[in-house]
């Protein structure tokens, strides 16, 4: 189960159990594991974290956690603890070995504290911890305590910040104290406290303005600050101490523990309506994408200097497609995600990629788009939203500089279409989980309908025959928050866009999951392909030519016919019955592409249900007759000589045929090859040509790099195959002994020792190697570890230093009697330095 739940532990394979344990305790791996936990598992883990202390050996059992989690049972908690233990997020308390299964005590892995963060279960820090980490809070509490005593609140006296913290805890925790206080609080004070149920910190301007009770404390915030129930961290932020929060929660940490997911009340709609809406949307998207590619083929899209496509370009394309700019932007993003559009690095323009997408059947075109969207690490819905950068380069909402590669954005701070700021590496996981939850809710509604039929009870509206549930965003988000609460924090901003894009692609219809959407969510694209193939009407292969120089499509045309008509004519109108208008300009476009009058007329005769009207035939023939009077060609280099006979001989030499020599004049030949290549070929024939270059130097070397492509996306980390798991287990069992060494194990154990010393405020014996390779053994006090560096306090020199982790060769906790000079003074100074450092970190 461990490798199934945490596949990153064996990717790549580990050599032994020591390396496996080091990797399992790494912060990145633990964070990934926590992202997969559901709400009950996360709640149990957070409560265990709050009630245990690894350094002091204080572990917890299921029976100890039960009073702190309203609605829980010992058997349920014990089952969850065993599951978390199997995921290597907990470990058995060594002192409790030999105890019965139901009495097992657990401790969380050491890196859990750093991953969970400062406020597990939405609780703030205790008064004692706030005073220890922020000296200014201690001074504030002393002032508040004196003011409370003067008002007759019955608070114990204190002379130091730590005593003040203990006195505040005792006062707040006394039975009935907080209830009596709140009964006389200003109106809406309880509502203000309820805002801290999800998080312990809040932003309040001028938070340090209140001195004590009765002094400008008419508002709820001022009243709470004056009595120390809210603690100002600085002049802009406050924190609700856990001493207060626990009393407000009824002295439980979790008030709504439940192993059952929330069951939303869903509306219902007709399954036929869902199918019709989805099929109509799919057909329209495929038609518009085909038109969009035709437009970009004719006029590639210019990019902005800041990246992406400007609003002016998007508006031009929207006018050509006869749709709004929002839809145009989404179609552009879908085309780029599916690699139908690529960025040409030589011209800085988006052009049509050389793919076979336009020749595929419509159901395969749809699957190409849908799977590319599902795996894409971009969020198209972010386009048009405020950029994370400042206005100087964030976007171009006004479009004032949107059509040239050298333009500069106007500076409105919005994300551009195809811009880099719409990149979201977590988008594939969020999309996949969103579809999985929609499938789960739909299956539950179907099961409810079956149960109602078996028992003879009346089914709900969403589970009635012929009806399907409408999956609104609130229901999806509520289930997502229960299924993966940590991952759900990233979803609210992206969910509306996901749902709109899924509706557009036909994965949903009228808010309900379609047959194609269910198949894609289940990882069965072939079933989605078969369902769409059966549902879509067969494409037509003919049009109706009219005397007004138009061709009317009586329905959806085949991809080949649509692509050819887009080349010969300009599309007009909306919907499946598209009108294509022929003109001299559109026909010249086809002639420029290499077609001729005879081929165009033959194509129209084969695909027209009527005879070719005479005006259209005359237009084709007349345009073709005028085309080509002035010809433009391409030549890379030329040959010039006064010897006309020699040039004529060169045209007849077989080994020079690959150069593509063409006579322009008796003394001038052009060639499709470069000057250096032509000169080399002539030298092989014994000639001595002189290479003339305009700049007098060597030829310009152009790097042979392909166009930059917006990739469809990266799939999430693959699940390990059974053979990979078997091979890893075999390797581990071949080395059953615990050998804590190696390139992966050693650094992790050293970091763990440093973090333990920081928690215990102890000094360490640390071996540091300098740039010359010399080892230096020192006794230091670590203060913090981050970014590959450890900040330490040197008691001997009374200075603070920063040491790179890669220079630390060995580290261990210093023995109590280790020679560190005057230990009393050094550790006292260390305590002060540590408090100041942690205050700066906050």
């Amino acid at each position: 189960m461990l490798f199934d739940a945490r596949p990153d532990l064996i990717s790549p394979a580990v050599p032994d159990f020591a390396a496996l344990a080091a990797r399992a305790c790494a912060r990145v791996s633990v964070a990934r594991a926590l992202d997969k936990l559901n709400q009950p598992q996360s709640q149990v883990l957070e409560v265990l974290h709050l009630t245990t202390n690894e350094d002091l050996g204080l572990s917890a059992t299921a029976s100890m956690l039960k009073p702190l989690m309203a609605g829980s049972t010992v058997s349920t908690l014990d089952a969850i603890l065993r599951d978390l233990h199997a995921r290597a997020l907990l470990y058995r308390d060594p002192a409790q070995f030999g105890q019965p299964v139901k009495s097992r005590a657990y401790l969380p892995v050491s890196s859990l504290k750093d991953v969970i963060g400062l406020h597990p279960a939405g609780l703030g820090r205790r008064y004692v911890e706030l005073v220890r980490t922020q000296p200014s809070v201690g001074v504030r509490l002393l002032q508040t305590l004196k003011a409370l005593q003067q008002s007759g609140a019955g608070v114990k006296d204190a002379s130091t910040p730590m005593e003040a913290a203990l006195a505040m805890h005792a006062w707040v925790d006394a039975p009935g104290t907080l209830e009596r206080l709140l009964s006389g609080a200003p109106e809406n004070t309880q509502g203000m406290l309820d805002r801290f149920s999800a998080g312990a910190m809040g932003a309040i301007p001028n938070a340090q303005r209140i001195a004590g009770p009765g002094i400008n404390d008419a508002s709820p915030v001022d009243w709470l600050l004056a009595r120390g129930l809210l603690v100002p961290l600085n002049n802009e932020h406050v924190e609700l101490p856990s001493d207060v929060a626990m009393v407000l929660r009824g002295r439980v940490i979790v008030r709504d523990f439940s192993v059952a997911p929330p069951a939303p009340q869903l509306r219902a709609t007709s399954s036929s309506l869902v199918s019709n809406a989805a099929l109509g949307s799919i057909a329209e998207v495929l038609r518009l994408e085909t038109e969009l590619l035709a437009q970009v083929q004719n006029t590639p899209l210019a990019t902005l200097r800041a990246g992406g496509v400007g609003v002016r370009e998007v508006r031009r394309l929207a006018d050509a497609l006869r749709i709004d700019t929002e839809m145009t932007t989404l179609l552009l993003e879908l085309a780029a995600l599916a690699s139908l559009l690529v960025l040409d690095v030589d011209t800085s323009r988006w052009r049509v990629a050389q793919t076979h997408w336009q020749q595929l059947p419509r159901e395969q075109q749809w699957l190409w788009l849908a799977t590319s969207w599902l795996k894409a690490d971009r969020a198209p819905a972010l386009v048009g939203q405020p950029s994370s950068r400042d206005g100087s380069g964030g976007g171009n909402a006004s479009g004032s500089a949107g059509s040239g590669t050298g333009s500069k954005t106007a500076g409105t701070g919005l994300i551009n279409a195809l811009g880099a700021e719409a990149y979201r590496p977590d988008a594939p996981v969020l999309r996949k989980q969103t579809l999985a939850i929609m499938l789960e809710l739909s299956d539950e509604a179907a099961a409810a309908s079956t149960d109602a039929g078996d028992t003879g009870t009346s089914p709900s509206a969403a589970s009635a025959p012929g009806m399907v549930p409408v999956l609104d965003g609130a229901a999806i988000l509520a289930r997502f928050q229960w299924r993966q609460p940590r991952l759900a924090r990233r979803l609210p901003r992206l969910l509306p866009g996901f749902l709109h894009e899924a509706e557009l692609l036909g994965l949903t219809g009228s808010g309900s999951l379609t047959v194609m959407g269910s198949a894609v969510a289940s990882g069965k694209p072939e079933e989605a392909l078969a369902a769409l193939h059966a549902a879509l009407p067969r494409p037509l292969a003919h049009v109706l030519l009219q005397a007004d120089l138009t061709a009317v499509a009586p329905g959806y045309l085949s991809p080949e016919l649509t692509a050819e008509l887009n080349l010969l004519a300009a599309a007009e109108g909306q919907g499946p019955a598209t009108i294509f208008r022929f003109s001299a300009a559109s026909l010249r476009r086809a002639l420029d592409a290499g077609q001729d009058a005879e081929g165009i007329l033959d194509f129209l005769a084969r695909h027209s249900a009527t005879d070719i009207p005479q005006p259209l035939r005359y237009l084709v023939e007349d345009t073709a007759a005028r085309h080509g009077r002035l010809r433009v060609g391409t030549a890379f280099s030329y040959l010039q000589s006064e010897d006309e006979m020699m040039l004529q001989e060169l045209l007849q030499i077989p080994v020079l045929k690959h150069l593509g020599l063409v006579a322009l004049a008796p003394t001038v030949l052009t060639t499709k090859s470069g000057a250096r290549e032509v000169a080399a070929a002539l030298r092989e024939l014994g000639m001595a040509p002189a290479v003339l270059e305009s700049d007098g130097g060597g030829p310009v070397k152009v790097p042979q790099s392909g166009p930059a492509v917006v990739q469809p996306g990266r799939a999430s980390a693959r699940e390990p195959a059974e053979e990979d798991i078997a091979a890893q287990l075999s390797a581990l069992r071949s080395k059953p002994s615990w050998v804590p060494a190696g390139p992966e194990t050693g650094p992790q154990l050293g970091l763990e020792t440093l973090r333990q010393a920081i928690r215990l405020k102890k000094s360490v014996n640390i071996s540091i190697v300098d740039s010359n390779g010399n080892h230096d053994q020192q006794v230091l006090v670590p203060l913090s570890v981050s970014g590959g560096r450890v900040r330490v306090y040197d008691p001997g020199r009374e200075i603070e230093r920063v040491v790179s982790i890669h220079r630390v060769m060995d580290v261990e906790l210093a023995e109590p009697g280790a020679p560190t000079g005057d230990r009393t003074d050094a550790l006292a100074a260390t305590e002060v330095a540590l408090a100041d450092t942690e205050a700066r970190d906050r």
Side-chain angles (χ1 to χ4, degrees), residues 376-706:
D377 50 10
R378 287 179 61 81
L382 295 180
V383 175
Q385 295 190 21
S387 167
S388 60
R389 298 182 294 182
D390 58 22
S392 61
N396 181 19
S398 64
S400 60
S403 59
T405 58
S407 358
K408 192 171 182 178
T409 54
T412 56
L414 301 181
I415 298 176
N416 294 312
L418 306 182
E421 289 188 321
Y423 171 73
R424 282 296 296 264
D426 55 350
V429 176
L430 293 174
R431 284 195 193 96
K432 181 179 178 181
Q433 293 303 318
T434 298
L435 285 181
I437 286 172
M438 297 177 75
L439 179 62
E440 182 179 301
L441 292 173
S442 299
D443 289 345
E444 288 177 2
S449 176
T450 303
D451 294 342
D454 293 341
T455 59
T457 58
S458 298
S460 63
S463 59
M467 305 296 285
V468 290
V470 177
L471 306 172
D472 59 88
I476 296 170
L477 184 59
R479 180 59 62 91
F480 205 124
Q481 289 171 338
W482 186 90
R483 182 68 60 195
Q484 291 180 280
R486 282 174 58 89
L487 200 60
R489 301 171 191 170
R490 316 173 199 171
L491 188 64
R493 187 184 182 193
L494 300 179
L495 182 59
F498 287 171
L499 296 181
H500 176 62
E501 293 153 13
E503 190 94 9
L504 196 69
L505 289 168
L507 298 171
T508 62
S510 298
S512 300
L513 201 63
T514 63
V515 175
M516 291 78 69
S518 298
V520 170
S522 303
K524 301 174 182 177
E526 64 282 352
E527 292 185 6
L529 197 64
L532 187 58
H533 176 77
L536 284 176
R538 299 304 93 196
L540 301 177
H542 68 275
V543 294
L544 304 176
L545 295 177
Q546 302 187 110
D548 62 349
L549 301 180
T550 61
V552 178
Y556 291 106
L557 303 177
S558 64
E560 299 85 354
L561 180 55
T562 300
E564 189 69 19
L565 285 173
N566 279 322
L567 181 63
L568 293 172
E572 296 179 349
Q574 297 266 5
T578 307
I579 297 175
F580 296 89
R581 183 169 298 279
F582 297 93
S583 65
S586 66
L587 290 172
R588 278 196 299 270
R589 187 171 64 224
L591 294 170
D592 290 339
Q595 300 193 24
D596 54 29
E598 182 180 355
I600 293 174
L601 292 173
D602 179 65
F603 169 80
L604 294 176
R606 284 186 288 108
H607 293 284
S608 175
T610 59
D611 292 335
I612 301 177
Q614 191 176 51
L616 179 58
R617 183 182 294 275
Y618 284 167
L619 179 64
V620 173
E621 292 175 346
D622 183 63
T623 304
R626 296 172 180 274
H627 186 267
R629 290 183 180 179
L630 185 64
R631 292 177 293 276
V632 178
T634 301
F636 252 82
S637 55
Y638 67 91
L639 284 80
Q640 183 180 16
S641 174
E642 300 301 327
D643 190 341
E644 298 180 11
M645 293 298 297
M646 181 180 67
L647 293 181
Q648 291 298 320
E649 291 176 1
L650 292 178
L651 291 173
Q652 307 302 321
I653 298 177
V655 296
L656 298 181
K657 292 293 183 183
H658 69 285
L659 298 179
L661 298 173
V662 177
L664 290 184
T667 59
V668 179
L669 303 180
T670 63
T671 171
K672 64 181 181 181
S673 303
R676 292 289 184 182
E677 182 181 355
V678 174
L682 294 177
R683 290 190 182 104
E684 290 181 359
L685 296 177
M687 300 181 181
V691 179
L692 302 179
E693 296 172 340
S694 59
D695 59 358
V700 178
K701 297 181 180 180
V702 180
Q704 301 300 315
S705 58

Side-chain angles (χ1 to χ4, degrees), residues 336-349:
L337 296 179
S339 296
L340 304 180
L341 294 179
V342 294
L343 181 62
D344 191 327
V345 294
D346 296 325
T347 63
S348 294
R349 291 176 177 266

